[in-house]
Amino acid sequence: MLKAWKLWCLGPGGTPAALRLLRKSRGGGGLRGARRVSTSWSPVGAAFNVKAQSTRKELFGERRGLFGVPELSSPEGFHVAQEKALRQTESLVESACATPPGPQTVCIFDQLSDALCKVADLADFVKIAHPDPAYREAAEEACRNIGTMVEKLNTNVELYQSLQKLLSDEKLVASLDPETRKVAELFMFDFEISGIHLDEEKRKRAVDLNVKILDLSSAFIMQTHFPNKIDKHLLPEHILYNFAHDGDHALVSSLQADSSDDLVREVAYKVFLYPNPDQLNCLDALLSSRDDLAKLVGYSTFAHRALQGTIAKSPEIVTQFLEKLSEKLSERTIKDFEMMKEMKMKLNPQNSTLMPWDHPYYSGAIRAERYNIEPSLYCPFFSLGACMEGLNLLFRQLLGISLYVEQPEKGEVWCEDVRKLAVVHETEGLLGYIYCDFFQRADKPHQDCHFTIRGGRLKENGEYQLPVVVLMLNLPHSTSITPPLLTPGMLENLFHEMGHAMHSMLGRTRYQHVTGTRCPTDFAEVPSILMEYFASDYRVVNQFAKHYQTGQALPKNMVSRLCESKKICAAADMQLQVFYATLDQIYHGKHPLKRSTTEILKETQEKFYGLPYVPNTAWQLRFSHLVGYGAKYYSYLMSRAVASMVWKECFMQDPFSRAMGERYRREMLAHGGGKEPMLMVQGMLQKCLSIEDFVGALVSDLDMDFETYFMDS
């Protein structure tokens, strides 16, 4: 999500070119080894299993610019694009202020949002992902300039009053359709959290607080990644090679959670989490400033402000959800910790006390011992082309959608191995584009994520502005003899991110302000997590998981083992997430806080986790999600609960059900953020839900399939 302009672009023309399909035969260019592949691929599978080949059009065609935006054929084009957007914005502000209150007011506000987002969202991606520093710097500058314009809009009283006139007229509000009313209310909410409805003195204070919060957030995020130093002489010599060195100091830049050496993990934990006084002060100031701003604009706490419009609706409901979940997990978590302790005693009899740095390693050791899930055994069955074909088959059966590879124009993509997918419905035609930036490269961020480049909306001429997104992964390249091969974790991430992409493609909203994934955080992850359930179902996996050389299908018992292995120590893993989410709620709850953030951490860890707090550590100072997910860290758990219920009640019996696929699109994907999220969930499940339903869905996912367990034992 964007930070400076998020009030307008929650986070995201022309007629699309004729669909051009890239069809490659098995014996075509690319891998020598591809000729030996015995399974036949669709155009999607073939395109992703071979290296990209430059076409005549790419070599000699006219340079189009990034994403087909003519101005962006060079870095300097960002200045041209932003100036064009700023001129358009000024014109739209004048129009909004002069237009009588009515539905057209909302349309103009959405055009404003669209004009800014078209540059801001694109620049937000380019500034972190483009391999050319000149493009990154130009995009960064564009982000700053758009942010300056947003600050002006946030303090434009006349613009605010044009929307207020609409929403204060009961007859006019009653005449609005539900989506238009929802979007108008969202724009008003964005205005009011910036304090524009306050008197001049308080309004200035709100603006100052927003600026301060942005600065503190940037500083906090930066410090969460900085390494800590320790004098090398204080460490045993035999473990020094595990850390980078800076003169007489060892640099500890992570928790080393996967190290098999208990001492390495212990040292990493204690040094990396050693409290930094400046970071402690930064966090205190950030939490305090958020609370001040929330109170200034009329909320009792920052959490109450942050949870407006979410599934949970209030911090009180979030707290109930987390406490009930913790209660249900308690016995299972104790058993998980006992298993880990037994494994530690087996591998390290001298010191069998279970500590926080042991949880990730020993839970993994138990999985490895109980199930043979070595990733290298699975990779040959998960070539990238096969996985993409699997997604294509699934979407075609569920939603009537096909993925086609379209050859990009010269200059349209930022790296030669980026693939462009056209998403096509069997009767509705072209729905949008997905740019797949899947492969590892130098200086590319090591994160898997979905970026909105252009949001969908109904344009003034009656045409629909097609959505454009980027999916960014970090997958291995093909070699001279193999296609790109994915681990099970990479496969799950691919399906997860494609869930976000389909949300963007199918969110057919009138307004881009609520298109696709521009929706409450605790709903936004539902489509992506739901795709993880499909990726774990043998009926789905069996459609595409074939050995890249022999064509042999992935054995069913290997899929079963993989699924069941995820349930090993899963209660303890979930309990850890409950601890993090609870800590987040307390930090953003009632202020002033009764104790220091570290004392609160200690107390919350002992109550909601189970493993002891380690003196002189401050894990919260590495908790980067406090910035982007402030008061909303619970969202992942709640989204998983919803996805679990949707899977079990709608797709588990038949993961290819077209009727359920159409219901899913109609009730959940089509509305983006233009409908209350709980109403969308209830429409899909066709029933009202209680907190117990959410908790029950998560806990039932932990139950072992004993048939699989005993068969594989």
Side-chain angles (χ1 to χ4, degrees), residues 46-243:
F48 281 90
N49 261 6
V50 298
K51 288 185 177 178
Q53 302 292 310
S54 296
T55 64
R56 183 177 180 84
K57 179 170 63 174
E58 289 177 294
L59 292 172
F60 304 108
E62 181 183 354
R63 192 169 182 84
R64 285 282 304 277
L66 286 174
F67 298 103
V69 178
E71 294 89 347
L72 299 185
S73 58
S74 69
E76 294 74 23
F78 266 109
H79 180 74
V80 177
Q82 84 191 19
E83 289 302 310
K84 179 180 175 183
L86 296 178
R87 287 194 302 272
Q88 187 180 358
T89 297
E90 290 173 1
S91 173
L92 287 166
V93 168
E94 292 179 8
S95 180
C97 295
T99 300
Q104 186 59 22
T105 304
V106 184
C107 291
I108 295 171
F109 268 74
D110 192 64
Q111 290 172 52
L112 259 173
S113 177
D114 187 53
L116 293 168
C117 285
K118 277 181 179 175
V119 178
D121 284 347
L122 195 157
D124 196 51
F125 168 73
V126 171
K127 75 178 183 180
I128 68 166
H130 203 290
D132 185 344
Y135 266 102
R136 294 199 300 267
E137 290 167 13
E140 182 75 53
E141 178 67 20
C143 287
R144 284 194 293 268
N145 291 334
I146 295 293
T148 300
M149 171 55 78
V150 169
E151 288 177 18
K152 291 181 180 178
L153 293 174
N154 290 344
T155 55
N156 188 320
V157 177
E158 190 179 1
L159 184 65
Y160 161 70
Q161 289 173 342
S162 69
L163 186 63
Q164 187 185 43
K165 288 175 186 176
L166 169 62
L167 289 174
S168 61
D169 188 319
E170 292 184 6
K171 288 186 178 178
L172 275 177
V173 171
S175 70
L176 300 177
D177 64 84
E179 185 181 6
T180 300
R181 179 175 178 175
K182 174 74 173 175
V183 172
E185 290 170 347
L186 286 172
F187 277 121
M188 180 57 74
F189 176 72
D190 291 342
F191 264 130
E192 292 183 348
I193 62 174
S194 66
I196 200 168
H197 59 301
L198 305 173
D199 61 47
E200 188 173 350
E201 182 181 345
K202 289 181 178 177
R203 188 161 64 244
K204 183 180 183 306
R205 170 131 176 85
V207 171
D208 291 343
L209 279 169
N210 272 309
V211 172
K212 183 179 180 182
I213 288 167
L214 284 172
D215 291 342
L216 288 167
S217 297
S218 297
F220 183 81
I221 281 284
M222 191 176 300
Q223 189 65 41
T224 59
H225 303 298
F226 280 5
N228 274 347
K229 292 182 179 181
I230 185 172
D231 192 316
K232 287 195 292 190
H233 302 298
L234 296 176
L235 300 181
E237 191 172 339
H238 72 277
I239 70 167
L240 281 174
Y241 75 92
N242 291 280
F243 307 103

Side-chain angles (χ1 to χ4, degrees), residues 651-664:
F651 294 109
M652 190 164 72
Q653 184 175 348
D654 179 5
F656 310 111
S657 169
R658 183 62 179 270
M660 284 300 173
E662 293 296 342
R663 187 205 288 182
Y664 177 50

Side-chain angles (χ1 to χ4, degrees), residues 192-193 197-198 292-301 304-305:
E192 292 183 348
I193 62 174
H197 59 301
L198 305 173
D292 288 345
L293 179 60
K295 285 176 175 149
L296 189 64
V297 298
Y299 294 91
S300 57
T301 70
H304 283 90
R305 197 207 84 174

